[in-house]
Each structure stands twice: as C-alpha cells, then as structure tokens.
Amino acid sequence: MTSIQPIEPSTTLIPEKKTAKNYAVTVLVTALVILAPMLIGAAGGNYWVRVLDFAMLYVMLALGLNVVVGFAGLLDLGYIAFYAVGAYVAALLSSPQLTTQFAWIAHLFPNGLHTPIWVIVPCAMALAATFGVLLGAPTLRLRGDYLAIVTLGFGEIVRIFMNNLDRPVNITNGPKGITGIDPVNVGGFSLAQTHEFLGFKFPTVYLYYYLFVLCSLFVIFVCVRLQHSRIGRAWAAIREDEIAAKAMGINTRNVKLLAFAMGASFGGLSGAMFGAFQGFVSPESFTFWESVVVLACVVLGGMGHIPGVILGAVLLAVFPEFLRSTMGPLQNFIFGHEIVDTEVIRQLLYGLAMVLIMLYRSEGLWPSPKHEDKIAKIAKRAGKKPVRA
C-alpha cells in the first residue's frame, strides 16, 4: 500500500524577514542620501550638487515611465511631453507671463500671479494625468512599434505646440521661453536663499536636493504600493499576455489608461519641480533625446524593478557630466593638447557603455529578481529544501 506523503507548505507564502543586514543597509543608504550634497559639494563644488539635483529629477521621471513601460509593458517614446506640461504649468502660474499678456488677469492679480507650490504641484500632476489619458485613449489597440511611433509623435506635437504658442496670442512665449518663475517658497521659507542650520550653511542647490529627495520618496512609496496591489498585478498580467489577461476578466482598457495617467502625473510633478528650480522654461528642454534618456534609465537599470530604475537614473545623470569634465584634462595630460573634441569623446563613450551593458546585462544593471530565486532564497533562510509551488 502506497503511503501518503505529507505536503510541505509552499515557500512562496513564507514572508521574507528583515535581518540585521537589511537594517544596516537601510541606515547606510539613508545616511548617504542625507550627507550626499555635503560630501559632493566639499569634493567638487556646487556644480556637482546641481548635477545631483538633476539626478533626482531623472529618478522621478524614470519611476513614472517605469509604471508605463516596466509595470504595464507599454512602450512610450513621448514621455517627456508630460514633463513639459508640468514645467509650463509651473511657469504660467508663478511668473509674469500671463499678467503681462492678459489685462484681465493683471486686474485680478495686481501684485502678480504668485501661485504657491502646494497648488502648482496638484495642478501640474492633474493636467499631466489628463494628457496621459488623452494619449492612452486612442492607442489602446496599438502595441509594440506602432505604439512607440504614436507616442513619439505625441511628444513632438507637444514640444512644437509649446514652441509656436506665441501667436496670435502669446501664451508660452514661443522659443524664447518663460523667465521669472518663482522659486519654491513654503511658509516664508524660500529655497532661493542660503539658510544656516546647526552652524552649517545650506545653499540653494542643497535645499532643492532635499526637496527633490522628498518628492522622489513620495513617488517611490506610491510605486511600491501600486506594484503590490491588484492594479499592479493587472499591469503585470497585461505585460505578460494581454489576451490572457482579458480572458481572466481584467478590464484592460481602464487598466492601461490608469497606467498612462499615473506615469504622466509623476512626469508632471518632476516638470513642476524643474520649472521652479531652473526659473526658466523653454521647448529646448523637452526634445526627443530627453525621452530617449529617460527610457534608457528604465531599460539599463532594470525594467519593472524600482531600485534598478533609481540606479539607472542616477548613473545616466551623473556619468555624462563625469565624462564631460574628465575627457579634456585627460587628453591634455596624455598628449599635451586635445586631439578629439571633448563632446565627441563623451558621446562615444556614453554610447559604448550603453552597448556593453545591453550585451552583457541584457536585463539591466539591477534586474528584478526572478520568482524561482526568491523561493530558493526564502527556503534557504527557513532551513529546508525549496518546494515548487
């Protein structure tokens, strides 16, 4: 008589416990994030802290695009359009542009249109999300290359629209851009001024860095909650097989639109921060190349993996500037003069690095761990042989 073997519980349901190593890494990363502008500022000056500020903006952009590309599997080559929408919302609501062009607005706001940042950010996110739905609605039946072409066209339409919306009524000031954008000011605390705290002076670039870190943490929190929710599982099902997802009862239309809207809202947030940080917005900042860079952050970091996307965004923001500042002095040190233009070498090495990463790390620098690896790791900690679920 055949004996009945007891069924071991599936290791997929065993939660992974926090270890002392995890807590140590968390504390180390937190300390590094807090001290980063001070250490980098002391080593390289405020220029490199400004580069770090833009790295945080790229983190927000990459996480927003990761919702569309990484979670839902929808290729978007016009994502920078939502960045432009957020930037122009901040520019129009906190600069003299509208009051100088429209007398009735100047009459309503005789002291100027100085909208607070806590009003600008929700408006920028809401308008960008609306544009995301407008982009997603006509593209629901498109996939792959066709979807990429349509989103590429959408991004170029927005940029050209902003570039030509200076006539017959001047709203965006065309290619000249909008200047005089108010800096972030919360309760009388202006980030445009140097502040002193505990004997340390914090210049503007330091203060904006901490603001961008807070915004990035907000985006990370929302992305993590979405990824582990029913909506996140629906996005994953659509990414793997849309027909099967539809057969299982998932409303693919609404789920896709939600992915476009959520990703676009994060782009609007980063655009609003960019406008307040720069104090100037023009269509030149929202070219197709910027969309390519943001997409490269997602792909090279690891699609669908939030830590990998953050790593990719930081590297692609810092690495080009590192090459820009080192290639010239390196040629002078070796040859006594510059043989090849620094910008040419920078682009060459930048492209070469991307090619090598795609050849040897096709899933990204920090890809999402596979399901089997998670089972083996948890089973090893539990001290038993992993069981296939």
Side-chain angles (χ1 to χ4, degrees), residues 120-198:
I120 292 175
V121 168
C123 291
M125 295 181 68
L127 186 60
T130 303
F131 272 85
V133 173
L134 293 177
L135 170 63
T139 61
L140 292 176
R141 296 180 180 274
L142 300 178
R143 301 177 189 173
D145 299 338
Y146 300 101
L147 179 61
I149 292 172
V150 172
T151 54
L152 169 61
F154 176 80
E156 287 299 293
I157 287 172
V158 170
R159 183 184 64 84
I160 295 172
F161 185 72
M162 298 297 184
N163 196 48
N164 291 277
L165 201 58
D166 58 344
R167 56 186 185 273
V169 179
N170 188 0
I171 297 179
T172 63
N173 208 26
K176 297 179 182 178
I178 300 176
T179 59
I181 304 173
D182 293 340
V184 175
N185 192 323
V186 180
F189 186 85
S190 176
L191 270 64
Q193 301 174 356
T194 300
H195 295 271
E196 187 172 346
F197 182 71
L198 296 178

Side-chain angles (χ1 to χ4, degrees), residues 67-68 71-72 74 140 230-239 242 245 249-263:
V67 172
V68 181
F71 292 171
L74 305 171
L140 292 176
R230 292 180 62 184
I231 297 173
R233 292 193 291 272
W235 284 337
I238 292 175
R239 180 188 63 208
E242 184 176 348
I250 296 175
N251 190 332
T252 57
R253 174 183 176 276
N254 292 348
V255 171
K256 280 184 177 182
L257 289 179
L258 184 59
F260 276 110
M262 290 301 302

